Amino acid sequence: MKLIDGKAIAAQIKAEVRARAEKFFERHGKQPGLAVVLFGDDPASQIYVRNKIRACEETGVRSFTDYLPADVTERQAEEVVRALAEDEKVHGVLIQLPLPAHLDGKRLLSLIPPIKDVDGFSAENVGRLALGEAGTVACTPLGVMELLRRSNVSPEGKRAVVVGRSNIVGKPMAMLLLNANATVTVCHSRTADLKEECARADILIAAVGRPAFITADMVKEGAVVIDVGVNRTERGVCGDVDFGAVCEKASLITPVPGGVGPMTVAMLLQNTVAAAEAQEG
Ligand code: NDP
């Protein structure tokens, strides 16, 4: 078994982003700008936002943060997002999810122009991905593809199984693997024989949100196992894969923490710099 070191690969990507941000500054006299909008005081969201701001500082991306109270009105929230959509210093806008229940997330996200949608969640960017056209791709699945690429794993001709079908991880993950010529199976809570499906995977991606859900008997000898899960338990943060047992069978595996997580932030910065370059010409 070999560990895929997401932290080290993310650091490489951040160094590349920094070089691009510096070049951008030389050409345009301003930094690429990323705006993050955070609603309420959810502790996990606050940590994610802090990490993103710190990563911006490390890479020469200017960050703008709007902290809005959980009871903000729909109208106030829309005004903030609209202003960011028009602000020329801001090249990427990210709304930190989850949102307070009274806000219409779909509507708020639709106010971000696709060119500034650095999360890749807009209908236009999702559609582009489905059509195999260039666009902005959701950071977590994009980060997984980059982990595979930089670990010399080509999905072409491989049997890839994605467990999870959410709009932010599972579905875009499956489309990326399909676009990379893998033979893709997507599993979910209604999959009839999950163990059998998983055990056929050359590349197994777990995006379920349940600690140690993928056990060794679900994994083929020599498979590449990517653990997207982030589960907070009494014993700390763990992934969706029973790491201790599965690492005996996998040829390559990502740890949690230190696997996919750091890549999500690195890809967000990469998407932001790419958005800035596209907007400024
Ligand atoms: P969701 O809860 O939106 O989706 C979970 C998926 O898992 C669903 O498609 C669900 O199926 C499926 N599922 C749940 N239970 C089972 C089961 N018993 N058998 C088979 N499938 C099941 O989660 P997300 O996609 O948003 O996130 C998945 C995990 O990835 C979470 O742990 C999350 O914290 C983590 N994550 C990590 C990121 C990172 O940067 N590392 C970024 C984003 C997420 P169904 O659709 O049928 O309900």
Side-chain angles (χ1 to χ4, degrees):
M1 181 277 298
K2 238 182 95 192
L3 211 59
I4 299 180
D5 186 346
K7 236 173 149 176
I9 296 175
Q12 277 171 19
I13 292 168
K14 283 200 247 173
E16 291 162 17
V17 168
R18 185 170 185 92
R20 275 170 79 175
E22 280 166 6
K23 216 173 195 177
F24 182 88
F25 185 80
E26 280 165 23
R27 287 184 70 176
H28 303 287
K30 60 179 168 183
Q31 292 171 282
L34 171 66
V36 181
V37 187
L38 174 62
F39 294 90
D41 46 15
D42 174 54
S45 294
Q46 284 178 336
I47 293 172
Y48 290 138
V49 169
R50 262 206 306 276
N51 287 344
K52 287 166 188 172
I53 294 169
R54 196 183 318 127
C56 283
E57 285 162 5
E58 284 167 20
T59 51
V61 171
R62 185 169 174 193
S63 66
F64 303 83
T65 321
D66 281 282
Y67 296 98
L68 304 179
D71 61 356
V72 66
T73 65
E74 186 93 42
R75 195 155 149 217
Q76 286 167 326
E78 283 183 17
E79 271 167 21
V80 168
V81 178
R82 277 214 180 85
L84 293 171
E86 283 167 18
D87 189 336
E88 289 183 357
K89 298 185 293 304
V90 172
H91 302 99
V93 181
L94 179 154
I95 297 175
Q96 185 66 44
L97 301 176
L99 291 179
H102 70 283
L103 294 178
D104 181 350
K106 232 167 144 181
R107 180 162 166 69
L108 273 183
L109 288 171
S110 75
L111 299 176
I112 303 172
I115 191 85
K116 292 193 179 186
D117 164 36
V118 282
D119 254 340
F121 293 164
S122 66
E124 175 159 336
N125 280 317
V126 174
R128 283 176 176 274
L129 177 61
L131 294 170
E133 291 174 4
T136 306
V137 178
C139 303
T140 301
L142 189 62
V144 171
M145 294 306 283
E146 207 52 38
L147 283 180
L148 293 175
R149 194 170 75 79
R150 295 187 192 227
S151 306
N152 297 317
V153 177
S154 164
E156 179 147 343
K158 302 268 169 53
R159 220 182 260 280
V161 174
V162 180
V163 191
R165 58 172 165 179
S166 71
N167 289 336
I168 62 170
V169 188
K171 281 186 203 161
M173 187 73 254
M175 283 194 275
L176 283 167
L177 287 162
L178 189 60
N179 291 347
N181 298 321
T183 301
V184 182
T185 303
V186 184
C187 299
H188 45 78
S189 66
R190 316 285 168 89
T191 296
D193 194 343
L194 186 67
K195 184 179 146 188
E196 189 178 293
E197 298 292 351
C198 291
R200 295 195 309 163
D202 302 310
I203 300 172
L204 180 60
I205 317 272
V208 186
R210 290 174 179 232
F213 181 76
I214 303 290
T215 47
D217 58 340
M218 298 166 84
V219 178
K220 185 165 103 174
E221 198 73 46
V224 174
V225 179
I226 307 288
D227 191 349
V228 180
V230 177
N231 304 297
R232 285 163 218 289
T233 69
E234 285 162 6
R235 289 191 290 154
V237 173
C238 73
D240 288 345
V241 174
D242 181 4
F243 184 87
V246 171
C247 71
E248 302 284 331
K249 288 179 96 177
S251 59
L252 281 170
I253 188 167
T254 58
V256 177
V260 176
M263 291 299 289
T264 298
V265 180
M267 300 324 286
L268 171 67
L269 295 162
Q270 188 174 289
N271 282 352
T272 302
V273 173
E277 289 166 350
Q279 282 161 62
E280 303 289 339

